[in-house]
Amino acid sequence: LTPASLEIKRIIARMNIPADVSCPKCMTAESARYVEVHGHCEHCEKKAQKEAAQMENLAALWHNSRLPSAAKGLRFDHMDPERTDPTAIQDCREWEYGPRGLYLWGATGVGKTRLSQCLARREIVNYTRRVLFLGLPQLFADLKESFRTGSPEPRRLLSAARDVPLLVLDDIGVGHSPEFGESEILPIVTARLDEGLATIYTSNLSWSRKNVVQGFGTLEEKLGARVAQRVVHSATAIQVTGQANWLIK
Ligand SMILES: Nc1ncnc2c1ncn2[C@@H]1O[C@H](COP(=O)(O)OP(=O)(O)OP(=O)(O)O)[C@@H](O)[C@H]1O
Ligand SMILES: [Mg+2]
Ligand SMILES: [Zn+2]
């Protein structure tokens, strides 16, 4: 030790600084004062702050996604394979984010919406991706209502749908008019195709004429060729079969 550093040591000793204590969380040495104030060491404090910021970010992503709160803890292993065809569950599990989304189609009550919510939740939780979940029949009704009330919300959602990284369009083609498809859905799907943004659709409308869900038509019949063609280009079809909810006692 140089005489200067010896002198510094002596000064510090005279200041009567309390000895370091070990952090109760990670056991590394930290100044007693710091541990008294924060309850743990500086390293643990930085970690805690980072975690808090991540939680805040997740909460905002969740809120903005408009996913129902029931979907918050929804994972693929909460898909009962007795109720939804396991192949469809597996195909959804294997989907990876990219320009080609998914078109989940099949009869009512077989778990299409539930699957789309599993997918959306996974993107938020695992990849902190921005997601927007839109139930189209409701949005259509809200938009009609807004002409009377002047509410800007439906328009805001339709505009957000153009550039959100992952969009879920729940129940496309049923419960809303073909005109709504042409005037509102078409520009969204077109913009997303151009930007390579993923869209997940659920529908009762079948992908092809060969295999039509009883009581429902095809995508093309209900939405017109222009919308149908773009939907087909933007997604891979997964036919979802299973046992509808109301059949189970
Ligand atoms: N595999 C499953 N495991 C557990 N619950 C399921 C499963 N499939 C569906 N359900 C439940 O059954 C109900 C209907 O499912 P869901 O809404 O996903 O059907 P859907 O295929 O979207 O029907 P629709 O065509 O009428 O929109 C929901 O409450 C859903 O959570
Ligand atoms: Mg549904
Ligand atoms: Zn620590």
Side-chain angles (χ1 to χ4, degrees), residues 108-109 111-114 116 170-171 202-204:
T108 185
K112 302 180 299 294
T113 295
R114 195 174 164 96
S116 75
D170 190 33
D171 254 332
T202 83
S203 187
N204 301 117

Side-chain angles (χ1 to χ4, degrees), residues 177-228:
S177 71
E179 294 73 33
F180 178 73
E182 267 285 322
S183 66
E184 307 297 344
I185 315 274
L186 183 66
I188 292 173
V189 177
T190 305
R192 299 184 64 77
L193 262 176
D194 288 348
E195 295 301 321
L197 300 171
T199 308
I200 291 172
Y201 309 87
T202 83
S203 187
N204 301 117
L205 301 177
S206 47
W207 187 252
S208 78
R209 260 179 233 121
K210 280 184 231 129
N211 192 358
V212 175
V213 180
Q214 212 181 1
F216 298 94
T218 65
L219 194 57
E220 195 174 347
E221 281 161 13
K222 281 283 159 87
L223 285 167
R226 280 149 55 80
V227 180

